[in-house]
Amino acid sequence: MSNTVSNLVLIIALLFGFEAKFVFAQNRTSCDVKADFAFPFNHPCQTLLDLTTLSSDTMQGRAPSTQGQQRASNYIIEQFKSIGLLPVSQLGLLDTDGFKQVFQYDHYGTATTGENILGFQRGQQYPNQVLIITAHYDHLGTKGKRIMNGADDNASGVAGLLAIARFFSVLAPNYSILYVATDAEEHGLHGARYFLENWNSVYGKPSLNTDLIDEPIDAPIEIKMNINLDMIGGTKGNLYFTGARKNQAFLAIFDTVTQQIGRKHIRLKRGHGSARLSRDALSGNIDWRNASDHAVFRKQGIPYLYLGGDLHDFYHTSDDTIDNIDQNAFMASVKAALMTVILLDGLPSQYFEF
Ligand SMILES: [Zn+2]
């Protein structure tokens, strides 16, 4: 493992260590991202644009089954297409319509429609083993005239998911990666739950309809891990890595990423809900293991890693806006998430035994 990891460290150093010089497009003059947030193959301003667009007033707080949700869904699908992700319907994997996976759920007695968005990247070395990267794109909609923009919660996570997908669209991953922008998380993790139930029902079958891809995947696809991004805006300067506690390979990855990111813009921390945190009145009663979509995977015994920040004064208020995001902390968080997935993707398959 140590050799593998040190090779990966070298790759990471090569990829991230250079001083990038950006030439900003004229129509993005508001983007003043520092050069040390260079992402290979993904202009940081694009990531800021994703965050800004998804948390804009036009999206009306992205509540399930609303016009705002449709706009957000369309935007994410546009990005998936331009990145070159495969619509899951073409792979015959899940009961989806193109990139969309539509489902019904009960919300306080009202039948409500949700819509996950799924995009697939084929792995080079382990095509039949998949990393599931989740980030919920729904939020709380509007309250009276106030728009709950949900910039940190969770336009930030979706922007991070897109940045990861852009990286791997150029340097293909070893494992297959399925990107799932989930809906109806705020109403009770409904999108993630439906996704996994549907996955289980489909993968009970011995073979898959993979005729439509060049190199068919002929073995059942197995989920190796869930990586969930929720509230990575860095609002209080912390990014917590929750889950995968006992896995030595992951601990090495965490140390590597921490060293690379430093402490200037964001502080990376292991675990969530520590004694230190429980003194915080806002977050004292939260069981972070169950706080977002990763809980659905955790309950099935699937290894998970949840990247998220603290609760803060803007949480679930109309002040969770782009203006209250520290762009440096957010970009550092996205970079940390990307580096983590690159390193996880470099692990041999057996190291996922958590
Ligand atoms: Zn959230």
Side-chain angles (χ1 to χ4, degrees), residues 136 138-139 152-154 185-186 229-231 291-292 306 315-316:
H136 76 87
D138 65 298
H139 194 53
D152 184 29
D153 189 9
N154 181 32
E185 188 270 355
E186 302 283 10
L229 310 176
D230 193 356
M231 295 172 65
S292 177
Y306 157 46
Y315 173 75
H316 284 197

